[in-house]
Amino acid sequence: MDTKKLADAVRILSMDGVQKANSGHPGAPMGMADIAEVLWRRNLKHNPANPQWTDRDRFVLSNGHASMLLYSLLHLTGYDLPLEELKNFRQLNSKTAGHPENHLIPGIETTTGPLGQGIANAAGMALAEKVLAEHFNEEGFPIVDHFTYAFTGDGCLMEGISHEVCSLAGTLNLGKLIVFYDDNGISIDGNIEGWFTDDTAQRFTSYGWQVVGPVDGHDADALQKALKEAKSDLQRPSIVICKTKIGFGSPNKEGSASTHGAPLGEEEIALTRKALGWEHEEPFFVPQDIYDAWNALEDGARAEASWNAMFKEYRKAYPQKAEEFERRTSGSLPLTLEAAVNSYKKTLQQEGKSVATRKASQDVLEVIGLELPELIGGSADLAPSNLTKWKGSKPITGSDAQGNYIHFGVREFGMTAMMNGMRLHGGFIPYSGTFLIFMEYARNAVRMAALMGLQQILVYTHDSIGVGEDGPTHQPVEQAASLRTTPNMSTWRPADSVETAAAWKQALMKHDGPTALLLTRQGLPVLTRNEEQVSLIDKGGYILWDSGNKEPDLIILSSGSEVQLALKAAEELAQEEVKVRVVSMPSPDTFDAQDQDYRDSVLPPACRKRIAVEAASADFWHKYTGLDGAVIGMNSFGESAPADKLFPLFGFTVENIVKKAKEL
């Protein structure tokens, strides 16, 4: 069959979907349809009947606004995406959202839309494939052997994150990462010559990539030849530069910005059908012979059956590795993990060793690292400060992928988005580190992890004005509140090493979203607790101290390094016969998820006199203190001075807490 007609089916479905929705982006799907036909029909290893097949190729639409391209491909190749869903594009309760969302449709590997992050996710997937292959492949048994493909446009390559991850992908020799660059010269504002004049080929050559093309993005044979060349070099990632026309086929709008983010219009669609030689006037109609040519179910079943047969033999030859491979790729945790961490919590409580919680985090890594071979870590050039390395850490390099630790360099955004890609790929639990203040650089990738429900453990050290002399540029104020108010996100700010161990345990048990660990630079003493209190840390908030009563007149809530101040203030108030309770709340979101009876037992509604103490944005805590309470927190940026000068300056003292309590 004429491959042009097969590509035209994608164009027809895409422009019809956007037109019916009266919203969307028809230009990129129409311009990239020929590239998609070559990749998806002739090269992509996948099985629409089993979208989670472990050894499938991964495909990422980084320019996610071209979502109708992906929806059309999934529909045509046989995924569970009926035509009615394409007709319901961008509507309430539709699976075909404005930008691809990986939890809505089988076959969508990652949620994309924020430009540049898709290519970062793809780099993470390719890195996961390379490392997992090193961990499990044996001679004659390449059970991990697939490519990662990404479609990208000018917008993705303008975003700074693309520079971060593409540079690192070249350094790490991710030779099974292939990016198709839709070089159409148009973005929303028009012709890009006024704002994007990079020499893309030279740029990627300098990264250590193989550059293929430019190639005519509407010439199927040339595209096939280019892809074959890209796949031939497994030492370097490849970019295939494809010269295309946005809105290809539209007589009056092809090659113009008007096709980027608006429907073509009924009249132009009719003219486009005629220009393409598409004989069917009915919207969304695709002839059966074209459906048959696109259908990938038979080839997919054959490819997966071949892999299953190989894995069966692999299991016979390497039974323990096969069992471990299945456990890791299924995402289940070792049965010994929870008991190991619980035991370690008790040991820490008994030892009472005073350490910074960043150091406590590293100590926990020494315990869980032995239990979790899938744990893979990294830091944005701050490993000695974040303490993200443990004794079993081995760096991954371009020539050696046997390790479990990634030196990301100063690339916070790229690091976080790549770790999202590694988790999406499967087989790993990623953790990454930087200073809490530099979470801001990675913010949107953190948000995407939460939106997708991806487990990633975010180690954020230097958590407050306790950073001291580095000054307000390095002292986080509003970051904790930002993380805490992100849906599907869990945030822990532990008060000592015992709470740090509990935080790591909960992060490992949380499979449906990221967890941020906010850790101190300065040492903190281990707080006094009984065995029951140690177990209650897991609930995110618990009664740490009571002045011998069950009906307090005053409750002091706190987290992190300020808990010790709250305790000392409470003891002083108790001497004046104030019935006072101290609540340690390392994780408000975890506490909020407990049942009402437990929450009321910790924060009885009848006790309306409450003080929250935290060296972070004050506004967050009003939800717990109410109109009759008070918050001792930060309402400004910090200052450059030693920490022992800053805490009194901003009111974080026992004396100030006592004063506020008496005022209440």
Side-chain angles (χ1 to χ4, degrees):
M1 175 172 285
D2 181 5
T3 57
K4 177 71 165 51
K5 286 296 178 192
L6 297 174
D8 286 344
V10 174
R11 294 186 174 98
I12 295 298
L13 291 173
S14 297
M15 71 180 187
D16 284 348
V18 172
Q19 186 63 38
K20 188 172 188 299
N22 196 31
S23 172
H25 302 76
M30 296 172 73
M32 298 191 79
D34 298 296
I35 308 170
E37 186 274 324
V38 169
L39 176 60
W40 277 68
R41 280 195 65 252
R42 310 185 203 185
N43 294 277
L44 195 70
K45 181 175 70 172
H46 64 129
N47 184 5
N50 182 13
Q52 296 304 312
W53 171 33
T54 304
D55 200 42
R56 68 191 182 279
D57 288 340
R58 271 55 169 186
F59 172 78
V60 175
L61 184 70
S62 189
N63 45 344
H65 55 272
S67 55
M68 272 305 302
L69 171 69
L70 182 52
Y71 300 147
S72 300
L73 292 168
L74 293 170
H75 170 70
L76 289 168
T77 53
Y79 285 82
D80 184 17
L81 186 64
L83 189 61
E84 288 305 310
E85 288 292 347
L86 273 66
K87 294 179 180 179
N88 206 26
F89 178 52
R90 287 188 163 220
Q91 305 308 301
L92 183 64
N93 297 324
S94 169
K95 293 181 179 180
T96 48
H99 291 79
E101 297 183 32
N102 70 329
H103 65 284
L104 293 178
I105 302 172
I108 296 180
E109 299 287 357
T110 180
T111 299
T112 53
L115 293 178
Q117 284 198 64
I119 197 171
N121 295 162
M125 292 174 187
L127 178 56
E129 191 273 346
K130 181 173 183 174
V131 177
L132 205 64
E134 285 291 325
H135 287 185
F136 286 100
N137 286 359
E138 296 289 347
E139 188 174 352
F141 295 102
I143 62 169
V144 182
D145 184 16
H146 51 267
F147 284 85
T148 301
Y149 300 99
F151 279 7
T152 186
D154 294 301
C156 289
L157 297 190
M158 284 187 241
E159 288 284 1
I161 190 173
S162 72
H163 294 261
E164 294 183 24
V165 300
C166 293
S167 168
L168 188 58
T171 299
L172 294 175
N173 296 339
L174 301 183
K176 294 170 91 170
L177 171 63
I178 298 177
V179 173
F180 289 88
Y181 167 35
D182 181 30
D183 185 10
N184 60 35
I186 297 292
S187 67
I188 293 177
D189 281 358
N191 193 305
I192 62 172
E193 288 182 359
W195 49 87
F196 186 50
T197 57
D198 298 14
D199 187 325
T200 300
Q202 282 194 1
R203 169 185 162 187
F204 277 83
T205 297
S206 75
Y207 291 155
W209 286 50
Q210 175 185 208
V211 177
V212 181
V215 62
D216 183 348
H218 303 297
D219 183 333
D221 291 338
L223 287 164
Q224 177 63 28
K225 181 180 178 182
L227 182 50
K228 183 179 179 182
E229 182 180 348
K231 293 174 74 172
S232 68
D233 187 345
L234 298 182
Q235 294 304 307
R236 295 181 294 170
S238 296
I239 183 169
V240 182
I241 300 175
C242 305
K243 290 290 186 180
T244 65
K245 294 179 180 178
I246 191 170
F248 181 89
S250 171
N252 298 305
K253 297 186 177 183
E254 176 185 284
S256 70
S258 62
T259 69
H260 174 88
L264 297 181
E266 296 288 357
E267 184 177 340
E268 186 66 17
I269 281 180
L271 292 173
T272 302
R273 277 184 160 80
K274 185 176 180 180
L276 293 173
W278 191 263
E279 299 173 355
H280 313 283
E281 296 182 4
E282 180 184 348
F284 297 99
F285 179 79
V286 176
Q288 188 59 48
D289 60 340
I290 291 181
Y291 270 118
D292 292 342
W294 268 106
N295 194 298
L297 285 165
E298 186 176 327
D299 287 344
R302 187 162 45 246
E304 184 174 358
S306 176
W307 184 87
N308 286 337
M310 176 178 60
F311 191 77
K312 185 177 180 180
E313 295 303 312
Y314 178 84
R315 188 193 302 279
K316 291 178 183 177
Y318 305 97
Q320 289 184 323
K321 292 190 78 169
E323 183 180 354
E324 180 67 3
F325 179 80
E326 290 183 312
R327 183 192 69 78
R328 283 178 57 171
T329 54
S330 71
S332 61
L333 294 172
L335 298 176
T336 55
L337 177 67
E338 187 172 1
V341 180
N342 284 338
S343 175
Y344 185 59
K345 276 197 300 180
K346 293 179 182 178
T347 300
L348 289 171
Q349 186 65 54
Q350 292 165 0
E351 290 179 348
K353 189 177 176 182
S354 178
V355 296
T357 53
R358 61 171 174 162
K359 174 58 177 149
S361 171
Q362 185 183 48
D363 293 342
V364 176
L365 279 170
E366 297 289 350
V367 175
I368 63 176
L370 298 174
E371 304 285 337
L372 283 174
E374 61 264 47
L375 196 65
I376 191 162
S379 175
D381 202 48
L382 286 170
S385 294
N386 298 148
L387 302 182
T388 41
K389 277 188 172 181
W390 59 288
K391 290 176 184 176
S393 293
K394 179 184 177 183
I396 294 166
T397 66
S399 58
D400 183 1
Q402 282 283 348
N404 59 3
Y405 194 85
I406 307 153
H407 288 281
F408 280 98
V410 188
R411 299 180 176 100
E412 296 88 354
F413 194 5
M415 169 182 69
T416 310
M418 282 183 67
M419 286 300 209
N420 283 345
M422 295 198 80
R423 184 59 182 170
L424 284 161
H425 179 278
F428 296 97
I429 297 177
Y431 70 94
S432 56
T434 187
F435 290 171
L436 176 56
I437 192 67
F438 300 136
M439 176 277 295
E440 296 290 354
Y441 283 132
R443 185 69 182 88
N444 202 260
V446 175
R447 184 176 188 272
M448 293 302 291
L451 181 63
M452 288 188 273
L454 293 181
Q455 184 180 35
Q456 184 181 163
I457 302 168
L458 306 157
V459 178
Y460 293 141
T461 67
H462 297 60
D463 69 335
S464 73
I465 58 172
V467 173
E469 293 89 339
D470 278 330
T473 62
H474 282 53
Q475 294 168 8
V477 172
E478 71 276 25
Q479 286 66 38
S482 174
L483 291 166
R484 287 168 175 159
T485 54
T486 301
N488 209 31
M489 179 100 198
S490 190
T491 303
W492 286 76
R493 186 170 182 249
D496 64 4
S497 60
V498 183
E499 288 190 359
T500 303
W504 263 102
K505 173 190 165 186
Q506 294 304 309
L508 291 168
M509 305 292 283
K510 182 176 173 60
H511 298 286
D512 59 355
T515 300
L517 308 180
L518 315 188
L519 308 173
T520 65
R521 174 192 185 186
Q522 68 272 33
L524 300 178
V526 170
L527 305 172
T528 302
R529 302 180 188 84
N530 58 35
E531 191 170 329
E532 181 186 11
Q533 287 173 311
V534 172
S535 67
L536 289 174
I537 297 171
D538 291 354
K539 293 184 179 292
Y542 62 102
I543 301 169
L544 181 63
W545 189 85
D546 249 331
S547 59
N549 61 80
K550 296 296 182 183
E551 297 180 0
D553 297 324
L554 172 72
I555 299 174
I556 306 176
L557 303 92
S558 192
S559 83
S561 54
E562 292 77 72
V563 173
Q564 56 189 307
L565 298 177
L567 277 171
K568 291 176 182 177
E571 291 168 356
E572 188 171 317
L573 288 164
Q575 291 176 2
E576 300 184 27
E577 299 187 356
V578 177
K579 297 177 181 179
V580 62
R581 169 177 294 178
V582 176
V583 172
S584 178
M585 195 173 286
S587 179
D589 61 274
T590 304
F591 176 77
D592 290 346
Q594 306 305 314
D595 61 61
Q596 190 69 50
D597 287 345
Y598 178 76
R599 285 180 283 145
D600 287 348
S601 72
V602 176
L603 300 175
C607 182
R608 296 169 61 89
K609 305 299 183 183
R610 305 176 182 183
I611 300 176
V613 184
E614 187 182 53
S617 177
D619 286 351
F620 172 82
W621 288 97
H622 289 292
K623 64 184 284 189
Y624 298 110
T625 60
L627 297 177
D628 296 330
V631 178
I632 299 174
M634 294 295 295
N635 295 294
S636 67
F637 295 117
E639 296 282 350
S640 180
D644 60 359
K645 305 294 184 188
L646 292 177
F647 277 94
L649 177 66
F650 289 102
F652 300 105
T653 64
V654 172
E655 293 76 17
N656 192 40
I657 298 172
V658 171
K659 177 186 173 185
K660 288 288 184 184
K662 290 180 177 179
E663 289 174 0
L664 290 181

